[in-house]
Amino acid sequence: MSLLRNVKNLAPLLDRVLVQRVKPEAKTASGIFLPESSVKEQNEAKVLAVGPGAVDRNGQRIPMGVTAGDRVLIPQFGGSPIKIGEDEYHLFRDSEILAKINE
């Protein structure tokens, strides 16, 4: 049994980024429901929390590339999955994030 009951209790360390995948649409714009088998897992995620950043050889903090609330593209595989209740989250290193989606 996990001690974690709420994702807000999880604070990433160093250059880690906590994300949750955005669920793909199960319905088209015209209202047609898609079967689960045709809905692929998306690589889009929402950043929930970020660590303070890694430290370089000189002891300087390396700034993070993303902040909480950003929408990002993540690799299809990788990261460390974390399950809290029915929800699944992932921890990635800042350098593993593929892109930030600007709106």
Side-chain angles (χ1 to χ4, degrees):
M1 183 163 139
S2 173
L3 296 175
L4 262 135
R5 300 192 193 291
N6 188 333
V7 72
K8 291 179 181 169
N9 296 338
L10 191 62
L13 299 176
L14 297 174
D15 63 340
R16 305 297 196 298
V17 179
L18 178 67
V19 300
Q20 184 175 30
R21 283 188 193 272
V22 174
K23 294 201 181 353
E25 290 295 321
K27 186 167 71 168
T28 65
S30 60
I32 298 171
F33 284 94
L34 301 170
E36 253 185 67
S37 60
S38 73
V39 178
K40 286 185 132 186
E41 194 167 295
Q42 288 188 322
N43 290 4
E44 186 179 326
K46 183 176 181 183
V47 176
L48 302 178
V50 297
V55 177
D56 67 14
R57 283 193 261 193
N58 300 323
Q60 299 296 312
R61 186 79 58 188
I62 300 169
M64 297 292 282
V66 296
T67 59
D70 284 348
R71 285 181 34 216
V72 295
L73 291 179
I74 56 174
Q76 184 70 31
F77 302 102
S80 300
I82 300 165
K83 193 159 178 131
I84 301 174
E86 294 299 312
D87 296 321
E88 190 167 306
Y89 305 91
H90 287 81
L91 275 172
F92 286 94
R93 289 188 179 276
D94 187 44
S95 61
E96 294 174 328
I97 303 292
L98 302 176
K100 183 162 56 167
I101 300 170
N102 296 323
E103 296 179 47

